[in-house]
Amino acid sequence: MNADINTKYTDRETLRIIKNSFEKVNNKIEANKFFISEMKYYKINIKSNISDKIPFFYRAKIILLVIILTIVLLISIKMWMASLVIFLLLFIVTLIAFFSLDDFSSYFVLCANYYISRFGESYIQPFIIFLSSIGVYTGILEVHKYIFSEEPIARYVVSLRNFVTQDWFIFLSKLLNACAANVPLFSKALEKKSGIEFISLLFFIWFGILTWQIIIAVKRNTQH
């Protein structure tokens, strides 16, 4: 009963067996501890599988190509639209290539859960992220208001106004905002976010994820 198990050097199958044994006797607290250790080990295994399937030189080429196109995007002021299209196409192709691997999809989800709440181990961490996200979102809304305000504005806002009034940005913004406004679950909430619907949609989804993570973490830490 008083055995001390070093989870760092224990394989995943052993951790799973120990977790199940605690669940059978309804010891949720200890079961949750070993569940977290099991998921951490599973994350390491998935990462190892991805490294075996995707050689380092292949990943390095993708990263290098993304960096080059990003630089082109930043310096080609007169070719913003063409550079943006090329960059977005490469980004989409890269995502498809990676997410076509089952292991990568699993690893992405595992990383998200780990970095947000450490697989439900902490509810303080997602709560802090939630508050920080509210601050970021509020800042974006305020800057957006200042950009289109007729009142005296700061120099950085003038630069942003010049950027968002370019033809390519207006076209892309209208397209993304129209798509966001047509999402059934969020259409009503986005009616008051005119001109910033797409960013608001992303934050609404993000807030939903964080809320769920907080609920799961609190549940895991209060079960007995």
Side-chain angles (χ1 to χ4, degrees), residues 37 39 50 91-92 107 116 119 136 146 155 167 206 212:
S37 298
M39 295 305 293
I50 293 174
F91 182 71
I92 292 171
Y107 184 68
I116 292 175
F119 300 119
V136 172
Y146 291 145
R155 182 177 299 177
D167 292 340
W206 177 238
W212 179 248

Side-chain angles (χ1 to χ4, degrees), residues 1-220:
M1 291 294 292
N2 296 319
D4 186 14
I5 300 173
N6 190 332
T7 57
K8 184 176 180 181
Y9 300 103
T10 306
D11 62 84
R12 182 189 166 205
E13 184 61 23
T14 302
L15 293 170
R16 187 182 65 81
I17 293 172
I18 297 172
K19 179 200 68 176
N20 289 340
S21 67
F22 280 119
E23 287 181 343
K24 287 180 180 179
V25 296
N26 205 32
N27 189 337
K28 299 294 184 180
I29 295 176
E30 294 299 325
N32 285 335
K33 290 180 180 178
F34 283 95
F35 167 79
I36 293 167
S37 298
E38 179 190 0
M39 295 305 293
K40 288 179 180 178
Y41 201 95
Y42 180 47
K43 175 173 168 286
I44 294 173
N45 288 343
I46 293 294
K47 184 178 181 180
S48 178
N49 292 339
I50 293 174
S51 298
D52 292 338
K53 291 182 179 180
I54 306 178
F56 174 78
F57 72 88
Y58 178 71
R59 288 180 288 163
K61 285 181 179 179
I62 293 178
I63 294 172
L64 180 62
L65 193 54
V66 169
I67 292 174
I68 291 174
L69 285 176
T70 302
I71 294 174
V72 171
L73 180 66
L74 293 174
I75 64 177
S76 302
I77 304 299
K78 296 181 180 180
M79 298 179 62
W80 273 105
M81 180 59 79
S83 300
L84 181 64
V85 170
I86 294 173
F87 177 78
L88 289 176
L89 286 175
L90 177 66
F91 182 71
I92 292 171
V93 169
T94 303
L95 286 180
I96 293 174
F98 278 120
F99 278 98
S100 62
L101 298 172
D102 293 336
D103 287 338
F104 185 81
S105 300
S106 300
Y107 184 68
F108 180 82
V109 174
L110 288 170
C111 283
N113 279 274
Y114 176 74
Y115 289 114
I116 292 175
S117 66
R118 298 200 300 275
F119 300 119
E121 184 179 16
S122 170
Y123 55 84
I124 301 298
Q125 190 167 303
F127 184 70
I128 292 175
I129 296 174
F130 188 91
L131 294 179
S132 302
S133 300
I134 291 176
V136 172
Y137 182 54
T138 302
I140 292 175
L141 293 177
E142 289 300 310
V143 171
H144 179 263
K145 182 176 68 176
Y146 291 145
I147 288 176
F148 298 99
S149 173
E150 296 181 356
E151 300 177 1
I153 49 180
R155 182 177 299 177
Y156 80 93
V157 178
V158 175
S159 300
L160 286 174
R161 177 182 290 178
N162 293 335
F163 178 77
V164 301
T165 53
Q166 297 184 53
D167 292 340
W168 71 268
F169 189 91
I170 293 174
F171 171 78
L172 183 62
S173 177
K174 286 183 176 179
L175 177 62
L176 293 176
N177 287 334
C179 292
N182 289 325
V183 178
L185 292 176
F186 299 94
S187 57
K188 289 294 182 181
L190 293 173
E191 288 179 357
K192 298 180 180 180
K193 306 295 181 183
S194 179
I196 200 169
E197 291 92 341
F198 182 71
I199 293 177
S200 296
L201 175 63
L202 295 180
F203 271 96
F204 289 168
I205 295 173
W206 177 238
F207 290 145
I209 293 172
L210 291 175
T211 301
W212 179 248
Q213 288 281 348
I214 293 171
I215 293 172
I216 293 298
V218 169
K219 185 177 179 181
R220 285 193 176 282

